Amino acid sequence: MGSKYINRICTWCLKLGLISILAACQNLPSQQGRSIETHITADTPSSLAYANASLVSEHKGLSGLYPLDDGHEAFAARIALVRAAEHSLDVQYYIWRNDTSGQLLFHELVLAAQRGVHVRLLLDDNNTVGLDNILKALNQEPNIEIRLFNPFMHRHWRALSYMTDFARLNRRMHNKSITADNQATILGGRNIGDEYFDMGKGTLFVDLDILAIGPIVNQVSNNFDRYWNSASSYPLNGIVHPRHIKLQASMPIFKHRSFNHLRANSYDNAYNRDNFANRLLDGSLDYQWAHLILVSDNPDKALPKNRRKVEATQSDNNLLIEPDTEQPPVIKYQKASLTLNALAASVVEPQKDLLVITPYFVPTQTGLEYLQKLREEGVKIRILTNSLAATDVAAVHSGYSHYRTPLLKEGVEIYELKNQGFLKGPRDRAFTGNSESSLHAKTFTIDGQQLYIGSLNFDPRSARLNTEMGVVIQSPEMAQFMNQAINEALPYVTYQVKLTPQGKLEWTETNDKNQTKVYHHEPDTTFWQRVWVKMLSLLPLESLL
């Protein structure tokens, strides 16, 4: 046998040995001894409870919501909520950037803990790269507990972990919420990061949250407990060893190169300008009152199928949140089911109009057939998603591109956001530069009667792999306002995709002078971008998108 063959065999043996070692080290720590915790009761006295009491009693059975469609105000609302907390903060996020907004909010959690607030922070571990030292320092605070959802045991070789534990690590927690004293909550589509709060010089995300008070808050708190105590949530110290901590929670926040003092000042100015904290605590926020239905996945959805069956035998609780005795059930939930099933059970079937706003639109064949059925019944359907120029995930665009022609043939209207579609208003260019915009909001309206806001994308990943949550808002006023606002903006911030008489795609742009321009390929893109998406569209990726 030649030496080159011996070298190949040795190389493969080394690779197999490395994989075996990784597999041996991949075992997750035991959950034995982990505490099972629940949120505080809604009648616990607090400043937020006092501020909300008369408002909630005046609107019995309804929840108050305040839309957060402006990035600066969305950040100010989070700071105000953390500062208003007196007993507890339950915080759950998919992405938490180690940038200016992320570090400022970490610092606020530390200050809250130091004044006696019990902080529970649950982060999906897929996006905590580079955060281990800060998380360890925060976790040393007496009143801060951190858990990681579906964690990576290899902190420096995460990609290799997929080789030995892909079935689990491919499933992520996409939920986003922050709740103070079980009295007020913010939930929706935003992660924590400068780009989600309209700050930075890269791509900025157009997003949507709500701040809510009333019955919905206790339901969100119950939902958080289920995730916090789930089989996929691991205390930080079992994953990231606390030894060699050089940072203190009061120190690390402002000593990272990604922190920008000018942006911090801009955030501070926005907080003071909005006067959000005073409005939150004196009850003067302009809440809209409606019946809200919380829609949330079972956290067991994030378990591989073999483990999911084991966990299912340990509990027969098929209802995520028990309804209040005075209210109808407000959670639609089936164990290990798709969010879309729960969502479908929570809304009325469209009879006249369906508006879908989603950054990632991959309807699959099942979704295509459903939309075709609605069109046959005469339902007007409008889809707003990202253009190729605006998307931050080209692979998803490749999956979406298959469906444009069949949808257009059925009479579905498709609009694609321009890469600067929502950046034409006045804004501080010192902090946004020539930033582009990308749609990140996930919402839809039905017949001008119901509105959904949450984390759910209309793609296979949201339906089958990631956990999702959101609220169905039964408010004709809000649904019709959303429809009107979108109708007014669509011609100027999007390209409308149409079919030519020959069956070819074309993109129509309207400027502020009502002049139109027609493109015969994806606007504002290069030849190589289009080639790359075309190549991706030939690969069997749809189930992963």
Side-chain angles (χ1 to χ4, degrees), residues 47-65:
S47 296
L48 280 171
Y50 178 78
N52 294 343
S54 60
L55 292 172
V56 173
S57 64
E58 291 172 9
H59 302 86
K60 193 170 181 60
L62 302 179
S63 294
L65 61 144

Side-chain angles (χ1 to χ4, degrees), residues 117-386:
V117 178
H118 181 204
V119 179
R120 295 190 291 175
L121 176 59
L122 178 60
L123 296 177
D124 184 88
D125 198 35
N126 194 49
N127 297 286
T128 60
V129 176
L131 282 177
D132 280 4
N133 285 335
I134 287 181
L135 294 180
K136 285 190 293 184
L138 296 179
N139 205 45
Q140 296 306 299
E141 285 291 312
N143 287 319
I144 295 181
E145 291 184 76
I146 300 177
R147 291 184 182 180
L148 298 178
F149 194 89
N150 257 356
F152 291 76
M153 291 305 295
H154 303 299
R155 308 309 292 172
H156 301 292
W157 299 88
R158 294 194 181 205
L160 293 177
S161 297
Y162 282 107
M163 299 173 64
T164 57
D165 204 6
F166 180 81
R168 179 179 67 86
L169 295 175
N170 189 40
R171 298 174 179 271
R172 308 310 321 175
M173 180 191 74
H174 200 228
N175 310 34
K176 297 114 177 172
S177 70
I178 176 170
T179 304
D181 291 345
N182 196 20
Q183 286 293 325
T185 188
I186 295 174
L187 71 159
R190 277 189 181 88
N191 296 299
I192 303 300
D194 290 343
E195 64 267 38
Y196 299 98
F197 299 118
D198 204 11
M199 188 69 67
K201 297 185 183 297
T203 297
L204 304 182
F205 289 114
V206 179
D207 224 321
L208 181 62
D209 295 313
I210 63 166
L211 183 147
I213 62 174
I216 190 65
V217 181
N218 198 60
Q219 298 154 26
V220 174
S221 294
N222 280 332
N223 193 42
F224 180 89
D225 287 346
R226 188 63 181 269
Y227 276 82
W228 181 259
N229 298 315
S230 73
S232 296
S233 296
Y234 290 79
L236 181 78
N237 284 345
I239 305 298
V240 181
H241 296 295
R243 62 179 180 273
H244 306 310
I245 294 180
K246 298 180 180 179
L247 300 175
Q248 297 176 11
S250 58
M251 292 173 49
I253 312 302
F254 303 110
K255 291 192 174 182
H256 193 281
R257 63 180 181 275
S258 64
F259 186 86
N260 184 308
H261 288 276
L262 292 177
R263 290 184 193 173
N265 290 335
S266 181
Y267 281 131
D268 191 53
N269 291 337
Y271 176 80
N272 293 326
R273 181 180 64 248
D274 290 340
N275 197 27
F276 209 98
N278 289 340
R279 291 188 291 155
L280 180 65
L281 289 173
D282 66 14
S284 63
L285 279 174
D286 187 18
Y287 292 112
Q288 301 180 50
W289 295 88
H291 181 58
L292 303 188
I293 302 172
L294 181 65
V295 179
S296 178
D297 271 314
N298 185 334
D300 286 357
K301 182 182 175 184
L303 294 170
K305 291 182 179 180
N306 58 336
R307 280 193 63 194
R308 198 181 308 167
K309 293 177 181 178
V310 174
E311 298 298 331
T313 64
Q314 298 175 358
S315 172
D316 58 0
N317 180 16
N318 289 328
L319 186 65
L320 188 58
I321 297 175
E322 293 289 348
D324 296 335
T325 56
E326 298 179 0
Q327 306 237 355
V330 289
I331 264 286
K332 305 297 182 180
Y333 168 78
Q334 295 175 354
K335 183 171 284 296
S337 68
L338 307 183
T339 317
L340 292 176
N341 290 345
L343 196 53
S346 304
V347 298
V348 296
E349 183 86 1
Q351 301 295 316
K352 299 178 181 178
D353 181 86
L354 174 63
L355 168 65
V356 176
I357 301 174
T358 178
Y360 312 122
F361 182 64
V362 185
T364 72
Q365 185 61 33
T366 300
L368 174 63
E369 292 172 359
Y370 176 69
L371 294 175
Q372 289 172 331
K373 168 183 167 293
L374 291 181
R375 284 296 301 139
E376 291 171 359
E377 296 171 355
V379 177
K380 179 181 179 181
I381 301 174
R382 291 166 295 159
I383 308 294
L384 170 58
T385 190
N386 278 313

Side-chain angles (χ1 to χ4, degrees), residues 358-363 384-404 414-417 438 458-460 495 497 505 507 521-523 525 529-538 541-542 545:
T358 178
Y360 312 122
F361 182 64
V362 185
L384 170 58
T385 190
N386 278 313
S387 66
L388 176 55
T391 188
D392 63 321
V393 185
V396 173
H397 193 84
S398 73
Y400 148 70
S401 63
H402 290 297
Y403 294 98
R404 284 185 295 208
I414 299 178
Y415 299 87
E416 295 180 356
L417 183 73
S438 180
F458 285 79
D459 58 20
Y495 308 105
V497 188
L505 293 175
W507 289 257
H521 57 69
E522 310 253 14
T525 60
Q529 281 179 295
R530 298 191 293 273
V531 169
W532 174 239
V533 168
K534 183 65 175 178
M535 292 173 61
L536 289 174
S537 70
L538 301 176
L541 299 176
E542 183 172 290
L545 299 178

Side-chain angles (χ1 to χ4, degrees), residues 31-48:
Q31 298 278 41
Q32 187 174 3
R34 184 194 64 170
S35 62
I36 302 299
E37 301 173 358
T38 58
H39 59 278
I40 67 171
T41 60
D43 58 1
T44 304
S46 69
S47 296
L48 280 171

Side-chain angles (χ1 to χ4, degrees), residues 80-139:
L81 197 61
V82 173
R83 291 180 179 177
E86 296 174 358
H87 302 290
S88 67
L89 282 165
D90 291 337
V91 187
Q92 179 180 21
Y93 277 97
Y94 174 61
I95 293 175
W96 193 301
R97 301 283 189 218
N98 187 22
D99 57 11
T100 306
S101 63
Q103 292 176 33
L104 287 173
L105 281 165
F106 274 145
H107 186 58
E108 291 294 335
L109 294 183
V110 171
L111 295 179
Q114 290 176 346
R115 65 175 185 266
V117 178
H118 181 204
V119 179
R120 295 190 291 175
L121 176 59
L122 178 60
L123 296 177
D124 184 88
D125 198 35
N126 194 49
N127 297 286
T128 60
V129 176
L131 282 177
D132 280 4
N133 285 335
I134 287 181
L135 294 180
K136 285 190 293 184
L138 296 179
N139 205 45

